[in-house]
C-alpha cells in the first residue's frame, strides 16, 4: 500500500533520519538522464582502460542492462578478450531455482570455476583453453540449456501486432498478438487508480525477483493483455523486445509498464522480461524497451504482452501531474485513463528478438 504518513511518499522521513547520506536521495534529485548519470557510467571512467573482462549477469538481474551495455562497448573497441555469461538468475544467488521456477541442473552456477579459469589464464598466464571457447554463453530458459555463440546479437527484430475487440482489460481472450496489422482501429482503455496500483511481481525490479505466475494480475481490469494463439512450433528469443504503442491519456503524464510472459497450456503465466517508462505527454507514441531475455517458448505455449500504468512498489506511482517522483505529493494522486490503440493507422506492435534463421510464419 502507499505510505500514508509522509506528504511526499518517495521522501520517507524514516529514510531521511536513518540514512541521510544515502544515494537514494541523490537519485530522486536526478530523475532524468544527464551529466549526473553520465559521470557514473563505467563507459565514462573506463574509456581509457583496456583489459580482458569477464562480464556476468542474469536474465532477472537488476543490473543486467549495465552489464550488457559495458560488454557491447568493450567488445567493440577492446584488443583483449571480452567474455559474456548470462544465466537464468537474479543478481544473487546463482542457482538453478529462481523465483517460482526450477531451470534444471544446467542452471547451477558455473561462475566460480569459470572465474578461477579466467584468473589462471590472465593473471598466471596458464593455458586453460578459455580462448578456444565461444566468447558468449547464454542460458536459454524453456529449453534449459546453454547456447555458446560468437556474438551477443543473435536476433532478427520481428514485429507482432496488437489486435483487440476493445475489451483487452476485461478478458484475456479479447486482446491478441498476430503476425500482420489488423485493418480496423481498436481502442483499449485502462483506468489507473493510484490508491490500488497494479503491484509488482517478480521480474528484475522488485523483490522477490525472478519468474512468478502472474495469471492473477493479468485478470485485473487495469491490465491489458495481448496473447498469441498456442504456438505451432518452438519459438526462440534472444535479446531485447520493444513495445511500440500508440497511446493517449487524460493527464499530462502517465506511465507504461510492459511485461512479456510465457503462457503455459495449464493457464500459468510466467514473466520473461519487463520494461517501464514515464511519459510526459498526454498523447504520443510510446516505445518501451524490455530487459533482455533468452528463452524458448515451447510448441503449445503462447506469448503474452501485458500492459499497465503502474508497477508498485518497484516504481513510484505516477500522480499524473507531470511532477517528478521526488516532488509528487500524496494528495495530488489522481485517477488516470490511458487508451492504447491498435490497428488501422495506429497499429501498436511488439518487436520480438527472434533468433536468426527462424520465422514467425506458421507459428502464430
Amino acid at each position: 500500500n502507499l505510505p500514508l504518513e509522509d506528504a511526499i511518499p518517495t521522501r520517507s522521513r524514516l529514510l531521511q533520519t536513518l540514512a541521510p547520506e544515502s544515494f537514494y536521495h541523490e537519485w530522486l534529485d536526478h530523475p532524468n538522464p544527464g551529466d549526473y548519470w553520465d559521470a557514473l557510467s563505467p563507459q565514462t571512467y573506463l574509456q581509457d582502460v583496456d583489459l580482458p573482462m569477464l562480464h556476468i549477469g542474469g536474465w532477472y538481474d537488476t543490473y543486467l542492462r549495465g552489464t550488457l551495455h559495458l560488454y557491447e562497448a568493450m567488445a567493440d573497441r577492446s584488443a583483449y578478450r571480452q567474455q559474456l555469461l548470462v544465466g537464468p538468475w537474479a543478481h544473487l544467488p546463482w542457482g538453478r531455482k529462481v523465483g517460482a521456477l526450477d531451470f534444471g541442473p544446467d542452471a547451477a552456477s558455473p561462475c566460480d570455476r569459470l572465474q578461477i579459469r579466467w584468473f589462471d589464464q590472465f593473471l598466471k598466464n596458464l593455458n586453460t583453453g578459455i580462448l578456444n571457447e565461444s566468447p558468449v554463453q547464454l542460458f536459454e530458459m524453456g529449453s534449459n540449456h546453454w547456447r555458446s555463440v560468437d556474438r551477443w546479437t543473435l536476433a532478427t527484430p520481428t514485429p507482432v501486432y496488437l489486435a483487440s475487440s476493445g475489451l483487452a482489460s476485461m478478458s484475456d481472450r479479447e486482446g491478441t498478438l498476430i503476425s500482420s496489422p489488423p485493418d480496423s482501429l481498436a481502442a483499449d482503455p485502462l483506468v489507473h487508480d493510484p490508491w490500488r496500483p497494479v503491484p509488482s511481481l517478480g521480474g528484475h525490479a522488485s523483490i522477490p525477483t525472478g519468474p512468478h505466475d502472474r495469471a492473477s494480475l493479468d485478470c485485473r481490469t487495469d491490465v491489458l493483455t495481448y496473447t498469441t494463439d498456442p504456438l505451432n512450433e518452438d519459438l526462440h528469443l534472444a535479446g531485447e523486445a520493444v513495445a511500440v504503442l500508440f497511446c493517449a491519456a487524460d493527464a499530462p503524464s502517465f506511465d507504461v509498464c510492459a511485461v512479456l510472459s510465457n503462457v503455459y497450456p495449464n493457464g500459468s503465466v510466467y514473466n520473461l522480461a519487463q520494461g517501464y517508462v514515464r511519459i510526459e505527454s498526454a498523447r504520443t507514441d510510446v516505445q518501451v524497451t524490455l530487459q533482455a531475455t533468452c528463452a524458448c517458448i515451447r510448441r503449445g505455449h503462447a506469448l503474452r504482452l501485458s500492459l499497465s500504468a503502474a508497477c508498485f512498489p518497484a516504481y513510484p506511482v505516477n500522480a499524473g501531474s507531470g511532477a517528478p517522483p521526488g516532488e509528487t505529493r500524496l494528495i495530488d494522486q489522481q485517477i488516470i485513463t490511458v487508451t492504447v490503440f491498435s490497428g488501422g493507422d495506429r497499429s501498436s506492435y511488439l518487436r520480438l528478438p527472434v533468433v536468426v534463421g527462424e520465422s514467425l510464419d506458421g507459428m502464430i
Side-chain angles (χ1 to χ4, degrees):
N1 295 317
L2 287 170
L4 302 178
E5 67 275 10
D6 297 305
I8 298 178
T10 57
R11 301 282 188 182
S12 164
R13 284 177 291 178
L14 186 63
L15 276 178
Q16 291 172 355
T17 300
L18 300 181
E21 304 300 325
S22 171
F23 55 77
Y24 172 81
H25 308 294
E26 288 188 25
W27 288 5
L28 279 181
D29 293 335
H30 299 86
N32 298 312
D35 293 342
Y36 174 84
W37 294 105
D38 290 343
L40 295 176
S41 170
Q43 295 184 44
T44 297
Y45 58 78
L46 293 178
Q47 59 184 344
D48 297 323
V49 175
D50 193 5
L51 294 169
M53 293 186 185
L54 174 59
H55 308 259
I56 300 174
W59 300 124
Y60 297 99
D61 187 341
T62 305
Y63 307 107
L64 177 62
R65 291 178 193 256
T67 299
L68 294 176
H69 289 164
L70 180 59
Y71 167 76
E72 291 172 336
M74 294 303 300
D76 284 343
R77 69 173 178 85
S78 177
Y80 298 98
R81 172 79 166 197
Q82 302 296 313
Q83 186 148 335
L84 175 66
L85 178 83
V86 188
W89 312 310
H91 190 58
L92 285 172
W94 298 328
R96 58 182 281 175
K97 186 171 183 178
V98 186
L101 293 181
D102 186 338
F103 288 102
D106 285 351
S109 171
C111 297
D112 292 337
R113 289 184 173 89
L114 177 58
Q115 289 179 87
I116 291 173
R117 292 179 63 208
W118 182 269
F119 294 138
D120 283 345
Q121 180 76 47
F122 294 104
L123 298 183
K124 296 183 178 180
N125 201 29
L126 300 177
N127 184 6
T128 64
I130 204 167
L131 296 179
N132 299 323
E133 299 173 1
S134 298
V136 178
Q137 286 84 38
L138 309 174
F139 189 91
E140 185 180 67
M141 299 179 292
S143 64
N144 294 349
H145 67 74
W146 290 91
R147 280 180 175 259
S148 296
V149 293
D150 293 330
R151 65 188 191 281
W152 154 234
T153 306
L154 298 173
T156 299
T158 305
V160 291
Y161 294 87
L162 280 59
S164 177
S165 66
L167 298 175
S169 65
M170 302 300 294
S171 168
D172 59 11
R173 298 181 180 181
E174 302 294 335
T176 57
L177 292 173
I178 58 178
S179 56
S180 30
D183 294 329
S184 58
L185 178 67
D188 284 310
L190 66 85
V191 179
H192 161 63
D193 183 348
W195 298 102
R196 56 179 300 273
V198 176
S200 51
L201 179 65
H204 69 273
S206 64
I207 297 175
T209 52
H212 291 267
D213 186 355
R214 56 172 287 120
S216 61
L217 286 186
D218 284 351
C219 289
R220 290 174 57 118
T221 55
D222 51 0
V223 177
L224 304 177
T225 59
Y226 304 88
T227 313
T228 68
D229 288 336
L231 300 183
N232 295 322
E233 54 186 282
D234 292 353
L235 173 64
H236 299 269
L237 306 175
E240 293 178 337
V242 180
V244 181
L245 311 170
F246 291 88
C247 298
D250 60 357
S253 177
F254 64 99
D255 290 3
V256 175
C257 176
V259 178
L260 184 67
S261 301
N262 184 353
V263 182
Y264 285 54
N266 65 2
S268 300
V269 183
Y270 288 99
N271 49 295
L272 295 168
Q274 175 182 321
Y276 197 96
V277 295
R278 175 154 293 195
I279 307 301
E280 305 297 345
S281 173
R283 187 180 184 90
T284 185
D285 53 329
V286 177
Q287 182 166 300
V288 188
T289 301
L290 281 65
Q291 177 149 300
T293 190
C294 182
C296 172
I297 314 302
R298 291 295 197 185
R299 182 171 62 89
H301 291 221
L303 200 62
R304 173 175 293 175
L305 176 68
S306 303
L307 303 176
S308 63
C311 182
F312 182 80
Y315 300 89
V317 174
N318 190 340
S321 64
E327 299 175 12
T328 300
R329 300 180 305 164
L330 189 65
I331 198 172
D332 294 331
Q333 304 282 0
Q334 60 179 293
I335 291 176
I336 304 171
T337 300
V338 179
T339 303
V340 178
F341 298 96
S342 58
D345 59 353
R346 283 178 279 182
S347 292
S348 298
Y349 62 94
L350 175 65
R351 194 160 62 234
L352 292 172
V354 177
V355 171
V356 173
E358 298 188 13
S359 169
L360 288 178
D361 293 341
M363 291 188 186
I364 63 174

